[in-house]
Amino acid sequence: MSTQNALPDLEEPCRACGGTGNSSPAQPGQMRASFNCEICKGHKMAPTEAGRQVIEFIKRRFQITDYEADRDGLG
């Protein structure tokens, strides 16, 4: 396969959690809202700019609402 037609990287290790998928520990006396990272939702990977463009294209093309995309882990 030709490298000219290859897609750019669509995801990278999440910078917010360092690729662990875990949320940061709660402050003393506070509860954590979730054990999963707020950015990658526990997937350990986050979309790159090219990945976000693909997600936006899919959302427009298939008329996926922001609520559905967030619920299903597209965003």
Side-chain angles (χ1 to χ4, degrees):
M1 182 166 111
S2 172
T3 58
Q4 290 178 332
N5 295 329
L7 286 173
D9 288 337
L10 299 178
E11 58 183 4
E12 62 189 359
C14 180
R15 294 179 187 166
C17 66
T20 65
N22 301 320
S23 67
S24 57
Q27 298 297 321
Q30 290 182 327
M31 293 178 54
R32 283 200 278 191
S34 172
F35 287 102
N36 291 332
C37 174
E38 305 81 36
I39 304 300
C40 69
K41 312 282 192 278
H43 293 283
K44 301 178 183 179
M45 301 292 279
T48 61
E49 181 57 35
R52 283 189 287 278
Q53 290 176 354
V54 170
I55 290 168
E56 288 303 315
F57 169 78
I58 291 170
K59 285 170 50 179
R60 277 193 317 273
R61 180 71 175 126
F62 295 103
Q63 299 178 352
I64 298 171
T65 64
D66 289 337
Y67 170 77
E68 292 171 316
D70 190 47
R71 179 194 66 198
D72 297 336
L74 288 178

